[in-house]
Amino acid sequence: MDRDQNRDADRDLDRDMDRDMDRNRARERVPEPCPGPEPPGPGSEPPPGPTRWGICSAGKISHDFAMALQTLPRSEHTVVAVAARDLGRARDFARRFGIPRAYGSYEELAEDPEMDVVYVGAVNPAHLPAGLLFLRRGRAVLMEKPLATDAREVATLVATARERGVFLMEGFWTRFFPAWRRLRSLAARGVLGSPLVLRGSLGFALGGVPRLREPALGGGVLLDLGGYGLQMALALLGETPAQLRAHGVLHPTGVDESVSLSLTFPDRSLAALTFSMVSELPGGAALGGPKGWAELPTHMNCPTELIWGGHREQFPLPPPPGPQNFPHSTGLRFEAQHVRECLLKGLTESPEMPLAESVAIARLLDQARAQLGVGPCPGATDPCGVTTDPCGVTTHRPCGVTTDQPE
């Protein structure tokens, strides 16, 4: 009987894999033209209008986010305004993407009456003050990762969002890539057995990105790349590691340059993760259990391929409408789609990237940085010269930190 049950289970799994492979092949085919939507009948509700985005900061990651939005239907996503601390840069950005309004301050963007949600792509120390500014104005916020520079700042943003009943999500775009969702589904269904080991690496030769070497700009590899591996470990192995150990090398400026993290979990599972901002690394990740393994062979932060059970599944991205600053940046479209879904449902946080996980990731980053001897970001003490009065009005003071540094 056990042999028959195993044979049936194998047949069911083969059928699932064949179906999934057919779906992947279908993705690569050009679809036939579809007829337009039928006009709504009497008494039916009209379809929702587009989600109106504001973009905070005119740096490189904001450029790629705006580019990714252009791969989505304009009936669902549109950018209505952009703000930078230099009005000229904001106007250049607006001309490039056909955005109707450009502002020379984040405060002006927060007051825009026609904006539904703001994407914050400013440098790390500006995340707390910018986030507080928009949340206190009742603006939904998609915050580029990390949510803030340390756990205390993250907790402040989360508490403010919950107190005001305003949507807030950390922009771990990885969570919304189809390849990642497929891996997580396989793990949840027990296809690999109870996952026991996660290993991954992510590294780039980023010597030409000065902000990564500057403590005042929230530099260091953990804040820039480490969160990708930690969010993966929490999602696949458990929300509460029993222990974290960090080993690494510091840059002469004092920021973490190359780091290896080891996390153990109460069920004896293990995550081994390596990150570097001075060396190219394969960028893949693999999850193993007693029944097998699955691998994201490259780009653990933005995967488009998954290997498991003898199959290689492809999840191609749409071609970018123009030059990009970062690999696979059109994949930012997936988190934008998810934010729209959340807003249409009236949610104040994402069920796939909940705020509790952002808090947990920030605490782990704090632990790892402390073990390495990395001090808190100077902006965590004086957050980039931004103060908030009792009425919630935010003003900027000179602090030598430019929040529109390219990311």
Side-chain angles (χ1 to χ4, degrees):
M1 181 63 70
D2 290 341
R3 187 179 297 109
D4 293 339
Q5 290 175 340
N6 289 336
R7 188 183 301 113
D8 291 342
D10 291 341
R11 186 167 56 250
D12 291 342
L13 182 56
D14 289 340
R15 186 174 62 250
D16 288 345
M17 289 191 296
D18 291 341
R19 184 180 64 248
D20 293 330
M21 294 296 289
D22 290 340
R23 288 174 178 171
N24 285 325
R25 284 191 290 269
R27 287 190 187 98
E28 299 175 2
R29 294 195 294 266
V30 178
E32 293 294 328
C34 296
E38 296 183 4
S44 61
E45 294 185 5
T51 297
R52 300 170 299 178
W53 289 88
I55 295 182
C56 172
S57 176
K60 290 183 178 180
I61 189 63
S62 295
H63 170 279
D64 283 12
F65 184 80
M67 191 77 69
L69 289 179
Q70 290 187 341
T71 69
L72 296 168
R74 289 187 61 85
S75 60
E76 296 182 1
H77 297 269
T78 184
V79 182
V80 298
V82 60
R85 295 182 67 192
D86 180 294
L87 180 58
R89 293 188 65 207
R91 286 174 172 167
D92 288 344
F93 192 101
R95 280 193 293 269
R96 189 179 312 133
F97 291 101
I99 301 170
R101 294 183 294 284
Y103 300 116
S105 73
Y106 300 163
E107 290 81 5
E108 291 176 280
L109 179 62
E111 297 298 334
D112 191 305
E114 298 181 9
M115 180 180 68
D116 298 314
V117 56
V118 60
Y119 170 78
V120 179
V123 291
N124 296 340
H127 288 190
L128 175 65
L132 291 177
L133 169 67
F134 293 115
L135 292 171
R136 287 169 175 166
R137 295 298 194 281
R139 305 299 189 184
V141 174
L142 171 61
M143 181 73 71
E144 183 55 53
K145 59 82 197 162
L147 193 58
T149 61
D150 60 28
R152 179 187 61 83
E153 291 189 353
V154 167
T156 299
L157 287 172
V158 169
T160 302
R162 288 175 172 166
E163 175 188 342
R164 303 297 176 102
V166 180
F167 180 86
L168 171 65
M169 189 184 88
E170 184 172 14
F172 272 117
W173 62 333
T174 312
R175 286 282 173 103
F176 310 100
F177 273 71
W180 161 258
R181 284 175 161 167
R182 177 71 166 142
L183 172 61
R184 193 170 185 180
S185 173
L186 293 175
R189 287 164 45 200
V191 173
L192 311 177
S194 178
L196 293 176
V197 177
L198 172 69
R199 60 105 174 133
S201 65
L202 190 61
F204 303 95
L206 298 173
V209 186
R211 68 171 179 83
L212 291 175
R213 301 190 295 270
E214 297 298 329
L217 294 178
V221 71
L222 284 177
L223 285 179
D224 202 65
L225 300 179
Y228 289 122
L230 290 175
Q231 68 85 24
M232 187 172 288
L234 296 188
L236 296 174
L237 299 180
E239 297 182 2
T240 310
Q243 186 180 58
L244 177 148
R245 293 181 178 176
H247 304 276
V249 177
L250 302 185
H251 187 270
T253 60
V255 302
D256 44 299
E257 185 175 83
S258 297
V259 179
S260 289
L261 300 179
S262 175
L263 293 87
T264 55
F265 293 79
D267 62 355
R268 297 186 300 113
S269 57
L270 169 73
L273 307 165
T274 302
F275 309 97
S276 177
M277 65 181 191
V278 293
S279 176
E280 295 287 336
L281 293 173
L287 180 69
K291 294 183 180 179
W293 56 272
E295 180 182 14
L296 303 169
T298 60
H299 297 95
M300 70 183 300
N301 59 325
C302 50
T304 58
E305 188 176 19
L306 178 67
I307 301 171
W308 72 283
H311 294 270
R312 182 183 294 267
E313 298 183 2
Q314 304 282 347
F315 301 85
L317 295 171
Q324 297 176 291
N325 295 300
F326 304 102
H328 295 181
S329 285
T330 51
L332 289 163
R333 72 201 303 268
F334 300 124
E335 67 176 6
Q337 288 174 307
H338 179 73
V339 169
R340 173 177 167 82
E341 292 167 3
C342 290
L343 295 179
L344 291 177
K345 293 176 182 177
L347 302 181
T348 56
E349 66 178 278
S350 162
E352 292 192 51
M353 188 62 233
L355 295 175
E357 283 200 48
S358 292
V359 172
I361 292 167
R363 288 174 177 168
L364 292 172
L365 288 172
D366 281 1
Q367 291 179 35
R369 284 156 57 89
Q371 289 181 30
L372 295 168
V374 178
C377 169
T381 303
D382 180 16
C384 197
V386 176
T387 57
T388 304
D389 67 20
C391 297
V393 177
T394 305
T395 55
H396 292 274
R397 301 192 310 276
C399 65
V401 176
T402 303
T403 60
D404 286 323
Q405 289 279 338
E407 293 213 342

